[in-house]
Amino acid sequence: MKIISSENSDSAPVFIWGEDSTHGETVQELFEKVKSLTDRPFSIASFDVTDWNEQFSPWPAPAVFGNSNFSGNGKSTLIYLKEKLIPEIRNSFSKSKIFLAGYSLAGLFSLWALYESDLFDGAVCCSSSLWFENWDNFSASHEIKKTADIYMSLGNQESNTRNKIMSKVGERTEQQKLILDKSPMVKDLIFEWNEGGHFSQPLLRTARGIAALLNFSTPN
């Protein structure tokens, strides 16, 4: 785990983010992008990601492209966060709100974790893989466990894909927004459309989501 803080504070919000060095994106880069968008204090705690389809899928599902199936090991990732990472965060940030932040399948995981646990005060869910098999049924039949602030975004070209499953992302995202709008467990919901497709500036989009929650929320 790595933690980077904008200032010494045991009450500033902490955002948990999975760092995948193979994608060339580092927690330091994300931190700098967020810092350029807000003057609010915050910290980012990162953990290593080696296999997105394994670590972030909430349940097993067939591949939507190639041969890489989703193994559904998201519960193990959630257990790791609960038993290992969050206690370490609490050692230094005893009063902080804790959020998840993720892009694509990690964005789906961040939202799913709110339904599965009361560990988090909210989530940043950018270009989330809401096309995931049976997600629509899951979100329609479950409730978020703890009052949460949520940021969602999607690129305005993401549905324009020949992949029939992934092309559902716009419709699924709109459905998810309606569900969250009606949920008594969602305190504040921010939704934003971005220009471009799925692979357009994912780190900047994630940073914008973190900054949006920071700028919108009131200090502890």
Side-chain angles (χ1 to χ4, degrees):
M1 182 185 72
K2 304 174 187 174
I3 300 181
I4 305 178
S5 302
S6 60
E7 65 179 52
N8 292 325
S9 172
D10 66 353
S11 61
V14 178
F15 293 82
I16 297 175
W17 178 71
E19 181 177 14
D20 183 357
S21 58
T22 62
H23 286 181
E25 299 170 346
T26 68
V27 64
Q28 184 66 47
E29 290 175 304
L30 178 60
F31 174 81
E32 295 298 336
K33 288 184 184 297
V34 176
K35 196 173 180 182
S36 71
L37 298 171
T38 182
D39 59 1
R40 305 292 284 273
F42 69 96
S43 297
I44 298 178
S46 67
F47 64 97
D48 291 335
V49 177
T50 57
D51 188 328
W52 280 63
N53 285 6
E54 177 182 351
Q55 290 173 254
F56 289 134
S57 53
W59 50 78
V64 294
F65 50 85
N67 298 314
S68 182
N69 292 329
F70 299 98
S71 60
N73 209 32
K75 288 190 177 182
S76 294
T77 303
L78 192 56
I79 290 171
Y80 163 76
L81 298 179
K82 178 181 180 179
E83 297 183 354
K84 176 69 174 177
L85 195 142
I86 290 177
E88 291 186 24
I89 291 173
R90 286 294 179 212
N91 285 336
S92 301
F93 304 94
S94 58
K95 302 176 183 178
S96 294
K97 291 183 177 180
I98 297 179
F99 298 83
L100 280 172
Y103 193 92
S104 192
L105 191 59
L108 175 77
F109 172 83
S110 297
L111 184 57
W112 170 78
L114 300 184
Y115 285 97
E116 286 292 302
S117 74
D118 61 357
L119 300 172
F120 309 102
D121 296 285
V124 174
C125 311
C126 300
S127 294
S128 303
S129 302
L130 301 182
W131 45 259
F132 195 81
E133 185 179 69
N134 289 327
W135 176 259
D136 53 342
N137 295 326
F138 174 86
S139 61
S141 59
H142 290 74
E143 183 59 87
I144 289 173
K145 301 288 189 184
K146 178 181 178 181
T147 302
D149 296 325
I150 300 174
Y151 172 92
M152 294 177 63
S153 70
L154 190 69
N156 59 10
Q157 300 298 317
E158 292 197 48
S159 295
N160 297 336
T161 173
R162 294 178 181 177
N163 188 299
K164 292 182 179 180
I165 295 176
M166 299 180 73
S167 67
K168 298 177 182 178
V169 68
E171 175 187 342
R172 290 279 188 90
T173 300
E174 293 281 8
Q175 290 174 351
Q176 183 67 55
K177 181 179 181 299
L178 290 175
I179 289 171
L180 297 179
D181 276 333
K182 296 176 181 178
S183 172
M185 301 305 291
V186 178
K187 180 181 177 184
D188 294 308
L189 174 65
I190 303 171
F191 180 82
E192 183 175 25
W193 285 102
N194 290 307
E195 292 292 329
H198 185 70
F199 298 102
S200 177
Q201 299 182 308
L203 204 64
L204 177 59
R205 290 183 183 180
T206 305
R208 287 174 62 180
I210 293 173
L213 282 190
L214 288 167
N215 292 333
F216 189 82
S217 64
T218 56
N220 286 353

